[in-house]
């Protein structure tokens, strides 16, 4: 595996060399795929601010990231010439001087649908936007209105959520399935995505990366469920087809909003293909295991079930695509981030 200094050097070369940062800040909305620790500060069982989470982060510190180390926004921030991690807005050890160059409003377990956030009592997306408004006021007081407006307009906005809307809501809550077919629910979500993008556009966001769904049927939790149900340890292809179809609709939405909202630039960042490559051909990326996760038995555990006392946790997470039953390892996140930087995110350089 490449060392992080070498990775940073390669990414800077890829992106056109060093010098001033390509954007003044990276601002993150989303779920556990990008949550840097906001859930630590709310009353929810969905937390990861304890070992072995974070054991490969700076200082071996568990931050609330659902990973053994860094997550994609951290690598993206570093590649754009900013800090090598994006701090959580609710983390009391950081303040507006830290958030001026990057801030994360994401909450593990949330979704575009407000009902999704209710499942595990996490921060709904509308509340993430309220925190963003609060942040803007603090930024204007800290940097002055002109400078703050420049940061807000020129920042790169990373938006990554949607998996929970299907796995924790649609396929878990009977009431949702009774109201919508899966295709109707996708259309409902796409409408919410458009409302969200229009909302943050109205608040000044102009450079937005909308992240698609991964092959969610290949998450170790879903493969384990498949096995328990007597269907073998293969991916749940029905879930993967839903992810592919939803991604197509998100891509169509990107074209729509780019044509409708003056001065906006939205790109569709699709992680599906690179994730599937790692899962199907792990050895090509230096992995040994893709069907189960590193933490605990690797089949069902995440959050509090993945703790320091579990004797089954692997010793080298770099051999695994997945850290827990729902989330990739730091190494896999690095690969996904590098892929996006070479493709969709090049638009912002």
């Amino acid at each position: 595996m490449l060392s992080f200094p070498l990775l940073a050097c390669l990414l800077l070369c890829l992106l056109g060399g060093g010098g001033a940062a390509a954007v003044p800040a990276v601002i993150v909305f989303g779920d556990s795929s990008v949550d840097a620790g906001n859930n630590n500060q709310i009353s929810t069982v969905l937390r990861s601010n304890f070992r072995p989470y974070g054991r490969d982060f700076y200082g071996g510190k568990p931050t609330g990231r659902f990973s053994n180390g860094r997550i994609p926004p951290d690598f993206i921030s570093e590649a754009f010439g900013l800090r090598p991690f994006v701090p959580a807005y609710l983390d009391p050890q950081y303040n507006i001087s830290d958030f001026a160059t990057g801030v994360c409003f994401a909450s593990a377990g949330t979704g575009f649908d407000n009902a999704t956030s209710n499942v595990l009592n996490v921060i709904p997306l509308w509340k993430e936007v309220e925190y963003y408004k609060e942040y803007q006021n603090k930024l204007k007081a800290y940097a002055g209105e002109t400078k703050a407006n420049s940061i807000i307009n020129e920042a790169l906005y990373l938006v990554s959520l949607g998996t929970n809307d299907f796995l924790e809501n649609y396929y878990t809550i009977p009431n949702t399935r009774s109201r919508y077919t899966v295709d109707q629910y996708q259309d409902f979500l796409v409408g919410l995505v458009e409302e969200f993008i229009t909302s943050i556009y109205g608040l000044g966001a102009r450079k937005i990366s909308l992240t698609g769904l991964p092959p969610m049927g290949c998450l170790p939790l879903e493969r384990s469920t498949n096995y328990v149900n007597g269907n073998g340890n293969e991916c749940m292809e029905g879930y993967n087809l839903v992810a592919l179809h939803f991604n197509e609709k998100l891509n169509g939405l990107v074209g729509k909003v780019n044509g409708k909202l003056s001065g906006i630039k939205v790109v569709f960042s699709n992680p599906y293909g690179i994730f599937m490559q790692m899962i199907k051909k792990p050895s090509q990326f230096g992995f040994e295991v893709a069907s189960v996760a590193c933490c605990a038995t690797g089949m069902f555990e995440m959050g509090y079930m993945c703790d320091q006392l579990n004797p089954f946790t692997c010793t080298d997470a770099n051999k695994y695509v997945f850290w827990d039953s729902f989330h990739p390892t730091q190494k896999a996140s690095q690969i996904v981030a590098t892929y996006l930087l070479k493709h969709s995110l090049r638009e912002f350089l």
Side-chain angles (χ1 to χ4, degrees):
M1 178 184 176
L2 292 174
S3 68
F4 291 132
L6 179 56
L7 171 72
C9 177
L10 289 175
L11 287 176
L12 284 172
C13 291
L14 168 72
L15 299 172
V23 295
V26 169
I27 297 175
V28 184
F29 294 94
D31 58 17
S32 60
S33 61
V34 291
D35 184 1
N38 286 308
N39 276 21
N40 300 351
Q41 310 303 323
I42 64 173
S43 179
T44 178
V45 297
L46 196 55
R47 293 186 181 183
S48 58
N49 55 336
F50 45 84
R51 298 288 296 266
Y53 286 97
R55 71 182 192 188
D56 298 312
F57 194 76
Y58 298 108
K61 179 184 177 183
T63 60
R65 289 167 172 82
F66 281 80
S67 171
N68 59 303
R70 291 197 283 172
I71 53 179
D74 300 324
F75 293 109
I76 292 167
S77 175
E78 181 177 32
F80 273 80
L82 299 167
R83 189 170 32 200
F85 63 92
V86 180
Y89 181 66
L90 297 183
D91 190 331
Q93 70 176 314
Y94 299 104
N95 57 42
I96 191 60
S97 64
D98 302 297
F99 299 143
T101 56
V103 61
C104 171
F105 301 105
S107 175
T110 203
F112 290 109
D113 186 349
N114 286 334
T116 303
S117 63
N118 294 336
V119 176
L120 290 165
N121 192 36
V122 298
I123 302 168
L125 188 57
W126 67 264
K127 184 64 174 179
E128 292 187 26
V129 175
E130 289 301 307
Y131 283 135
Y132 172 56
K133 293 176 183 177
E134 182 181 274
Y135 160 77
Q136 288 194 351
N137 290 332
K138 291 180 180 179
L139 187 64
K140 289 172 183 176
Y142 169 74
E145 187 143 357
T146 301
K147 178 65 174 176
N149 286 336
S150 176
I151 293 170
I152 290 163
N153 291 156
E154 296 299 324
L156 172 61
Y157 292 78
L158 303 178
V159 181
S160 179
L161 66 167
T163 301
N164 297 313
D165 288 310
F166 293 99
L167 298 185
E168 305 300 327
N169 184 343
Y170 186 81
Y171 290 111
T172 303
I173 301 174
N175 184 51
T176 307
R177 288 198 306 283
S178 70
R179 293 174 58 199
Y180 305 96
T181 66
V182 69
D183 193 59
Q184 289 170 339
Y185 190 61
Q186 289 181 6
D187 290 340
F188 169 67
L189 292 179
V190 168
L192 295 178
V193 178
E194 183 174 2
E195 288 178 14
F196 168 74
I197 292 175
T198 303
S199 173
I200 63 170
Y201 170 82
L203 295 169
R206 293 296 181 269
K207 301 176 179 180
I208 303 170
S209 167
L210 178 62
T211 308
L213 300 186
M216 57 189 184
C218 292
L219 299 175
L221 177 63
E222 306 310 328
R223 293 176 77 145
S224 299
T225 302
N226 222 12
Y227 179 79
V228 168
N229 291 337
N231 299 318
N233 188 31
E234 297 303 315
C235 299
M236 296 183 71
E237 292 304 331
Y239 285 179
N240 285 349
L241 287 173
V242 168
L244 284 169
H245 193 200
F246 188 60
N247 285 349
E248 289 176 3
K249 293 188 177 190
L250 289 180
N251 194 33
L253 175 65
V254 165
K256 178 183 176 182
V257 295
N258 279 331
K260 185 175 75 169
L261 301 177
S262 176
I264 200 171
K265 179 63 178 178
V266 185
V267 299
F268 179 57
S269 292
N270 191 352
Y272 188 99
I274 187 66
F275 256 118
M276 189 58 87
Q277 289 177 45
M278 289 190 285
I279 290 163
K280 295 296 186 184
K281 298 180 180 179
S283 62
Q284 291 188 3
F285 299 87
F287 296 112
E288 296 179 8
V289 184
S291 60
V292 296
C294 167
C295 199
T297 66
M299 297 177 68
F300 296 101
E301 299 91 347
M302 63 175 285
Y304 284 114
M305 294 176 67
C306 169
D307 63 23
Q308 183 81 336
L309 300 177
N310 197 300
F312 298 107
T313 298
C314 78
T315 56
D316 185 0
N318 288 337
K319 296 178 180 179
Y320 288 73
V321 175
F322 292 97
W323 166 248
D324 65 17
S325 67
F326 217 82
H327 304 100
T329 56
Q330 173 175 253
K331 180 180 175 181
S333 290
Q334 171 188 314
I335 291 168
V336 171
T338 303
Y339 174 84
L340 297 180
L341 285 159
K342 289 171 63 178
H343 294 86
S344 58
L345 297 179
R346 288 187 69 94
E347 295 285 333
F348 300 114
L349 296 163

